[in-house]
Amino acid sequence: MKHYIIAKFIEGVDWKSHMEEIKELFEGSTKIEGVSDVRIYQSCSERLNRAHVMIELQLSPEGLENFDNSTIHSEWKFRFGEMLEGKTIFDCE
């Protein structure tokens, strides 16, 4: 399945300066059992009603459980959670 994390940073946060840090964090996701691929997309739009980053994980149902319990997931929430205005999680085949 594909697991998407779509995030919008709070106005005033220099989110672009955090993109390398986000990429480095999530690139380790493929070491989690059941996670086979990760892709990170940066928005090319400056419109106020747009999200800033989309993280796509390719994983099995067990991989989703493993990811949710991983240090990467915890670190994402700890390091970036307070900077986010909102996020959407979407899973599909």
Side-chain angles (χ1 to χ4, degrees), residues 9-85:
F9 286 85
I10 295 169
E11 188 174 345
V13 171
D14 181 12
W15 61 272
K16 289 180 183 177
S17 70
H18 294 285
M19 286 305 299
E20 282 305 312
E21 190 179 357
I22 292 168
K23 288 176 184 178
E24 287 175 15
L25 176 64
F26 277 92
E27 283 175 355
S29 297
T30 56
K31 295 178 183 170
I32 299 169
E33 187 174 340
V35 179
S36 59
D37 194 25
V38 62
R39 296 180 185 193
I40 298 152
Y41 304 92
Q42 177 178 321
S43 177
C44 63
S45 175
E46 296 294 329
R47 293 182 178 202
L48 293 176
N49 64 343
R50 299 293 195 266
H52 297 116
V53 64
M54 181 173 74
I55 301 153
E56 175 189 350
L57 298 168
Q58 181 72 40
L59 39 68
S60 65
E62 296 81 16
L64 179 57
E65 186 71 28
N66 294 338
F67 174 75
D68 282 346
N69 294 317
S70 73
T71 57
I72 293 171
H73 187 236
S74 298
E75 191 71 16
W76 160 250
K77 293 195 293 185
F78 176 77
R79 287 166 50 187
F80 300 101
E82 291 186 7
M83 294 185 212
L84 298 180
E85 178 181 314

